[in-house]
Structures are given as C-alpha cells and as structure tokens.
Amino acid sequence: TVSPYVLDDEFNGPAGVVPDSRTWTFETGGGGWGNNELESYTKRAVNASTDGQGHLAITARKETYTGADGITRWYTSARIKSRASVQYGLIEARIKVPAGAGLWPAFWTLGADIGKVGWPKSGEIDIMEAINSADVLHGSLHGPDATKPSWAAFSRTNSIPVKGGLAAAWHTFGIRWSATAITWYLDGHAYYTVTKAELPAVYTWEFAKPHQILLNLAVGGNWPGWPSATTVFPARMLVDWVRASH
C-alpha cells in the first residue's frame, strides 16, 4: 500500500540513535539564530537521539561547548529540519515539552527557499511554541511586510492558555494548510485560523510553496529570556511522532 504520508517518523529505534539522516538534517551552530539565543546546536546523540521508548529526545544541556563555527556557548541543544518539503495538508506531531525559565521548544516550518531568499521572505509557520512555564501555547505566522525593511516580518499570532501547562502531559500539535488558509490545532481541536484574504496587501503570503519542518529546543534569547537557577538541565523535549499528509 502507498503511504498517505509525505513524512512519517515514529522514532522507534533503540536508545541513542540520532535522527535518520534520510529524513532529517541537523542545523548546527552557536550564532544565536537571530534571537540572541544562548545554545550551540550540535549533531551529537546527547542532544538529539531516540530514547529507546519510541521517542526522539531533543536535549538541552548546560555545558561549555565550542562548535565548528568557533563560537563558544554555555548550553547545547539540537535543531533538526526535514529533508523532504511539504506543501499543504495536515502536519502534526505528538510532543511533551519541558518547562523552565529560558526554555523555548518549537515545532515549525520554514520555506524551502530560505537558503536563496532568506527570512522572512521564506515564510514561517510556528505550529507550536512554548516558553518558560509553558502555560501558554503560541501559534504564529510570519512573512515579509512591504512597508518594513527586508529583514523585518509581519506576525499573526494566537496564544491560548493551557490549564496545568503543556509540560504536564503529551499533546498533539498541528496545522491544516491550504493555498489560502492555515488552521492551528491542539489535540485535534482548532483554535486559530489565518486566511490569505484577511491579510493586508502589503503582507506577502509565502505559504503557497514548499516548506520544511523543524523541531528544536532553544535556550534563552529575546523572547524567553535567560534560564534561572531553578531551570533544570538537562531539559528534554520528547517527540513521539511527526506526520505530514496531503
């Protein structure tokens, strides 16, 4: 039978295996990623590998580390991107996020053309972001605004409180994406929709083209701020599965 999925990873390998290189590529470095983040992303198993229980563990560690880029950071973590591009359909992942000051887990997409056009012309869909205590789920859309400098983006965001916090349990995060609309879901329930028609003409809809899926756990930066003495390291973002279907 033909799989209905463009991408389907169940992370069922034995403990300590890095994400399948046929499906994922590591993005590495300690440059801050435009957000003044504090981690160096590595491709080491201690930062991203299967846990032997059917999950991928993306692990942020407090350690001094100098990457191949020569930048020394005081935390390490991992950021992976799908090799396959996806365009439209349902994109979902079942994830258990960590909580703690300065932690920033994310499940998101970038336009596959980012290497040519840069950000925000690539477009960005944030399927799930949570920071610090992880008591709020953020779903967002970013793209170019013709009235702003080329490096500035428009944003459309909906942030919903989650009773007890996201870190207390596993949750399924997803979007249903068409050429003209994107709807965000938490555990199968729609909570936000953005349509192309509702956006101002100066906002470019960069969501009628292929995107790639990303998973990462950032430490610090402009949004969550610094970790505190109460932040527990290693911190783990567990991913049960990721699926994308038309």
Side-chain angles (χ1 to χ4, degrees):
T1 59
V2 177
S3 171
Y5 299 111
V6 180
L7 186 153
D8 178 15
D9 201 333
E10 306 289 327
F11 304 112
N12 285 329
V17 177
V18 298
D20 191 330
S21 61
R22 295 168 296 181
T23 305
W24 303 99
T25 181
F26 281 94
E27 296 198 315
T28 61
W33 299 87
N35 307 305
N36 293 313
E37 296 168 24
L38 303 178
E39 79 290 322
S40 182
Y41 286 127
T42 86
K43 55 184 180 181
R44 304 177 305 166
V46 293
N47 292 118
S49 59
T50 47
D51 67 355
Q53 300 176 53
H55 315 128
L56 172 68
I58 297 180
T59 305
R61 297 178 175 275
K62 187 176 183 179
E63 59 179 331
T64 302
Y65 181 86
T66 305
D69 56 6
I71 300 172
T72 299
R73 292 293 192 177
W74 299 274
Y75 301 90
T76 61
S77 190
R79 168 169 158 154
I80 62 172
K81 182 167 71 175
S82 67
R83 290 193 178 276
S85 297
V86 296
Q87 185 173 353
Y88 312 143
L90 182 64
I91 302 173
E92 290 185 303
R94 185 171 182 260
I95 299 172
K96 192 170 189 295
V97 303
L103 298 180
W104 182 2
F107 167 44
W108 52 305
T109 79
L110 284 170
D113 59 358
I114 189 168
K116 296 179 180 179
V117 303
W119 187 93
K121 288 185 178 179
S122 60
E124 174 180 336
I125 308 169
D126 296 309
I127 304 170
M128 178 282 293
E129 290 183 289
I131 59 169
N132 300 330
S133 60
D135 56 354
V136 175
L137 168 63
H138 306 277
S140 307
L141 201 64
H142 305 286
D145 177 344
T147 67
K148 293 182 177 180
S150 60
W151 48 264
F154 77 79
S155 297
R156 281 288 185 270
T157 301
N158 193 15
S159 302
I160 59 169
V162 179
K163 188 175 181 180
L166 289 167
W170 288 88
H171 295 281
T172 300
F173 306 96
I175 55 167
R176 189 168 290 280
W177 170 24
S178 74
T180 56
I182 300 168
T183 297
W184 283 255
Y185 293 84
L186 172 61
D187 296 325
H189 301 286
Y191 70 91
Y192 187 39
T193 297
V194 176
T195 66
K196 180 180 180 181
E198 76 188 51
L199 295 180
V202 295
Y203 290 3
T204 307
W205 181 265
E206 297 288 359
F207 312 104
K209 65 184 182 185
H211 277 229
Q212 289 167 289
I213 297 169
L214 294 95
L215 292 158
N216 68 283
L217 175 55
V219 180
N222 300 338
W223 192 20
W226 286 76
S228 73
T230 63
T231 309
V232 177
F233 290 98
R236 296 199 307 168
M237 170 181 170
L238 295 175
V239 185
D240 187 13
W241 47 260
V242 181
R243 299 171 188 154
S245 59
H246 290 305

